[in-house]
Amino acid sequence: MDQYQPPLADISFALEHVVGYPDIAKLPGFEHADLDTVVELLEQCGDFMAAAVAPTNRTGDTQGSRLQPDGTVLTPDGFKEVYHQYVEAGWGSVPLPEEYGGGGFPRTVGLVIQELITSANMAFSLCPLLTQGAIEALLHYGDDALKERYLPKMVTGEWTGTMNLTEPQAGSDVGALTTRAVRQGDGSYAITGQKIFITYGDHDMAEQIVHLVLARTPGAPEGTRGISCFIVPKFLVNDDGSLGARNAVETVSLEHKMGIHASPTCVLSYENATGYLIGEENNGMRIMFVMMNSARLGVGVQGLAVAERAYQQSLAYAQERRQGLAAGASGASSPIIDFPDVRRMLMTQRAHVAAMRYLMLLDASYVDISTHHPDPAVRSRADEIVGILTPICKSFGTDLGNELTSLALQIHGGMGFIEETGAAQHLRDIRIAAIYEGTNGIQAADLVGRKLGVRGGSSMLEFLGTMREIEPQLADAGTEFDPIRVELGRQFDALEEATRWMVRTGPGDPNAALSGSTPYLRMWGLCTGAWMLARAALAAPATGDAGLAESQLVLARFYAEQLLPQCASLLGAATAGSRDLFALDAGQLSGAARKVRS
């Protein structure tokens, strides 16, 4: 029942007709990545992920990774072999720079590959995702010697990477970390401290693990201003590039998690381990944000990818499971897909998954424009839009991952609560994504605290204006598009009202804006999702495929009429301020202040 089918037709339509990939392929440096080449490459990638990676998903969940008495970590059966096939096929290197052995394809293409591998096995996909974040940091801030020593084998995937940020006492407050880095006579640093929640901090799939570690040098300023970033390899690297002695980093334990059991989440201990400074001292936060911004869109894709696989399973189950008799039906029983509420849950999954895919790909396309467009002004504006879309993609995408996998389980009824069906695994696995790489509350705070303030709110209001350009297009498209146009107009009005309130209120009362930041981000997620579905519905007739055009219109209309209205209902919460959030003290919240009647 739980067989993964890569949605390549949906992805190809999205690339060609919804997010304008042909224009991305015309940017300098991407001439080799035309649409036909990309579609053929993705078909091969999808075949690999479905045939090789997807079958490891259930085994990985039931076995999990295991810490051995000698301190090494074994991944579940098949992981090591499949990872070697993944490296040999070169899938991880496709969107990475050619000068280090990558394929030089756009980030947009890399994002599709991330979706395919994550749908196949989220726990497995985390290793390449973290490696890519480490690569991005080195590309931006590493000196030539570090790049030449580490990047070629990280790009191929022969060596994997990690991000070591969190410590037991610090959590999301990175500035509270205490790991020390003391400069040595040879220019290296001795790293001492403990890091927690390190994804793939140790494993048996690759010969080398390159840890990127945040630490504090002696005399560094307090807080985030005094953080530096270091490469600390599992094995030291000799001058000829071969691996040398084991470095002084040990796996203390593996976390016992709710989901993604196959992904080893390690507690790592560093005791005078040899590290190498990336960039300059006290520049670690800037480097960390390169890693995290690269990963945040990838984490948003996790919500999409796991929701896609859960949807496929729930759709198959709804067609097979017979129970009761649907209205107007005859015979002994009906498949549950014939019942309206099951249809509602399936349509909710289908519409949200499509909207998420379009939105994630749109964000990635703006990443490519921001790095490769020849016009500096266009690059700058694209970078602003990436800043707006990334927290929306990460937060809204992972919130929906939780909600849609829960709907998929609900469709299974009691069988969904039974582990053997596999429906519960999707819900357990995706739950971490809303916490990864900055919790969703942090994403909402970033949206109103940083991105909304760009050019005094003009950046986001201009983007909203761009979205509203679709209203006359819908009016010209025919009466069947009227319900979408009317509802979009109402919800754009609500979003604009909330945005202007945030712009007015935030500078003088930041707590008020932050108190409404999560519902405000949700409003953006709903509106951008509906906008992308409307774009798809308008574009679909040009394909000449009448069935596709009908399905895109129905999805956009369903979303506009049944899901999008939630946006305006959040206006009150977004603009309520902080009064009631802070009106009760801890004792009142716990009920200690309530009197018991005799």
Side-chain angles (χ1 to χ4, degrees):
M1 182 183 297
D2 185 18
Q3 299 296 315
Y4 172 55
Q5 296 293 324
L8 293 169
D10 292 345
I11 291 168
S12 297
F13 169 72
L15 289 173
E16 183 174 6
H17 297 283
V18 185
V19 301
Y21 180 80
D23 291 332
I24 300 298
K26 294 175 184 176
L27 294 174
F30 293 149
E31 295 86 355
H32 64 297
D34 61 275
L35 181 65
D36 289 343
T37 299
V38 165
V39 169
E40 182 179 353
L41 179 147
L42 293 175
E43 288 174 349
Q44 296 172 13
C45 182
D47 289 344
F48 175 82
M49 299 305 173
V53 180
T56 66
N57 193 49
R58 185 66 181 153
T59 304
D61 183 59
T62 54
Q63 285 189 357
S65 287
R66 296 144 286 166
L67 180 62
Q68 303 302 294
D70 64 359
T72 61
V73 174
L74 296 181
T75 52
D77 293 348
F79 269 51
K80 182 177 180 178
E81 293 76 14
V82 170
Y83 184 77
H84 289 171
Q85 295 173 37
Y86 170 85
V87 170
E88 192 173 314
W91 295 121
S93 66
V94 169
L96 298 174
E98 292 177 277
E99 62 186 302
Y100 295 107
F105 278 70
R107 176 70 189 276
T108 307
V109 178
L111 196 81
V112 176
I113 294 174
Q114 282 186 328
E115 179 191 337
L116 296 173
I117 190 174
T118 307
S119 288
N121 186 333
M122 178 177 166
F124 182 89
S125 74
L126 291 171
C127 186
L129 177 66
L130 272 294
T131 302
Q132 181 171 320
I135 289 170
E136 295 279 354
L138 278 174
L139 284 170
H140 281 79
Y141 290 101
D143 60 31
D144 289 342
L146 287 179
K147 289 178 181 177
E148 291 299 328
R149 175 159 290 193
Y150 291 99
L151 282 180
K153 290 196 173 183
M154 293 177 72
V155 166
T156 63
E158 294 170 84
W159 294 357
T160 65
T162 72
M163 297 191 296
N164 282 230
L165 314 179
T166 310
E167 298 180 8
Q169 79 290 346
S172 295
D173 183 10
V174 178
L177 66 82
T178 59
T179 297
R180 303 188 312 276
V182 179
R183 187 177 175 88
Q184 304 298 291
D186 62 357
S188 67
Y189 288 73
I191 312 294
T192 301
Q194 187 178 95
K195 298 289 185 177
I196 63 172
F197 302 155
I198 309 306
T199 302
Y200 279 90
D202 193 66
H203 59 85
D204 59 350
M205 301 194 308
E207 62 179 2
Q208 169 76 303
I209 303 172
V210 181
H211 302 293
L212 267 62
V213 182
L214 294 187
R216 194 181 298 281
T217 55
E222 294 294 323
T224 56
R225 294 184 300 113
I227 294 172
S228 302
C229 187
F230 302 86
I231 279 182
V232 186
K234 179 179 178 179
F235 292 95
L236 300 178
V237 182
N238 297 320
D239 291 339
D240 64 358
S242 63
L243 297 185
R246 173 71 187 263
N247 209 351
V249 52
E250 300 292 340
T251 304
V252 177
S253 63
L254 294 185
E255 304 291 0
H256 300 281
K257 307 188 297 291
M258 173 181 175
I260 53 169
H261 296 148
S263 170
T265 304
C266 302
V267 177
L268 297 181
S269 176
Y270 295 85
E271 189 63 43
N272 289 321
T274 299
Y276 305 94
L277 180 68
I278 303 174
E280 300 175 352
E281 287 191 10
N282 305 326
N283 200 32
M285 285 299 291
R286 188 180 298 273
I287 298 170
M288 182 197 76
F289 276 117
V290 170
M291 292 188 284
M292 294 193 73
N293 283 334
S294 173
R296 281 173 174 168
L297 179 54
V299 171
V301 171
Q302 291 174 354
L304 158 66
V306 180
E308 168 68 42
R309 186 157 185 181
Y311 167 70
Q312 290 186 18
Q313 182 173 340
S314 63
L315 176 62
Y317 184 83
Q319 294 174 86
E320 296 166 2
R321 173 64 168 160
R322 304 186 72 88
Q323 180 175 313
L325 198 62
S330 59
S333 62
S334 300
I336 64 172
I337 196 172
D338 289 346
F339 291 89
D341 195 56
V342 173
R343 284 288 181 134
R344 177 191 62 82
M345 290 188 282
L346 288 169
M347 282 293 292
T348 298
Q349 291 178 79
R350 179 76 174 90
H352 269 314
V353 164
M356 277 197 287
R357 180 174 292 116
Y358 298 148
L359 191 57
M360 304 287 171
L361 289 172
L362 182 73
D363 193 357
S365 72
Y366 276 112
V367 172
D368 288 323
I369 294 169
S370 74
T371 56
H372 283 72
H373 199 281
D375 186 337
V378 174
R379 291 199 305 270
S380 177
R381 179 56 182 156
D383 191 58
E384 285 187 0
I385 295 174
V386 170
I388 296 168
L389 289 178
T390 297
I392 297 169
C393 286
K394 193 278 178 183
S395 184
F396 188 55
T398 56
D399 280 346
L400 287 179
N402 288 325
E403 295 168 24
L404 301 183
T405 53
S406 182
L407 281 180
L409 188 149
Q410 185 74 14
I411 288 171
H412 283 76
M415 295 304 296
F417 206 64
I418 304 301
E419 286 288 352
E420 284 75 9
T421 63
Q425 182 189 344
H426 304 311
L427 180 60
R428 288 188 288 101
D429 282 352
I430 199 56
R431 185 60 187 86
I432 184 60
I435 300 170
Y436 267 156
E437 307 305 337
T439 65
N440 285 358
I442 290 174
Q443 305 303 313
D446 174 64
L447 187 69
V448 303
R450 291 190 180 92
K451 308 307 169 50
L452 188 61
V454 174
R455 295 191 282 115
S458 295
S459 178
M460 291 184 71
L461 286 168
E462 287 171 11
F463 186 66
L464 178 53
T466 298
M467 292 165 61
R468 299 203 76 148
E469 291 173 2
I470 202 170
E471 293 178 71
Q473 297 173 31
L474 291 166
D476 293 341
T479 56
E480 65 267 34
F481 289 87
D482 283 348
I484 304 170
R485 176 184 56 79
V486 170
E487 196 57 47
L488 263 176
R490 291 192 187 116
Q491 303 307 321
F492 283 154
D493 287 344
L495 180 58
E496 183 171 343
E497 182 178 345
T499 300
R500 294 191 182 279
W501 183 90
M502 289 280 178
V503 171
R504 290 194 310 270
T505 306
D509 190 356
N511 243 17
L514 290 170
S515 295
S517 60
T518 290
Y520 176 65
L521 186 149
R522 180 84 177 195
M523 293 175 74
W524 269 98
L526 289 163
C527 280
T528 51
W531 171 58
M532 293 306 297
L533 283 172
R535 286 176 55 167
L538 288 171
T543 66
D545 184 333
L548 174 66
E550 181 185 17
S551 67
Q552 293 300 315
L553 176 61
V554 169
L555 286 175
R557 188 172 63 227
F558 172 84
Y559 197 102
E561 293 183 332
Q562 301 199 35
L563 303 178
L564 181 59
Q566 298 169 23
C567 172
S569 72
L570 293 168
L571 178 61
T575 60
S578 60
R579 182 189 62 185
D580 287 340
L581 296 187
F582 290 89
L584 304 181
D585 61 25
Q588 290 171 302
L589 285 171
S590 71
R594 291 184 298 207
K595 294 182 179 179
V596 178
R597 292 185 178 181
S598 57

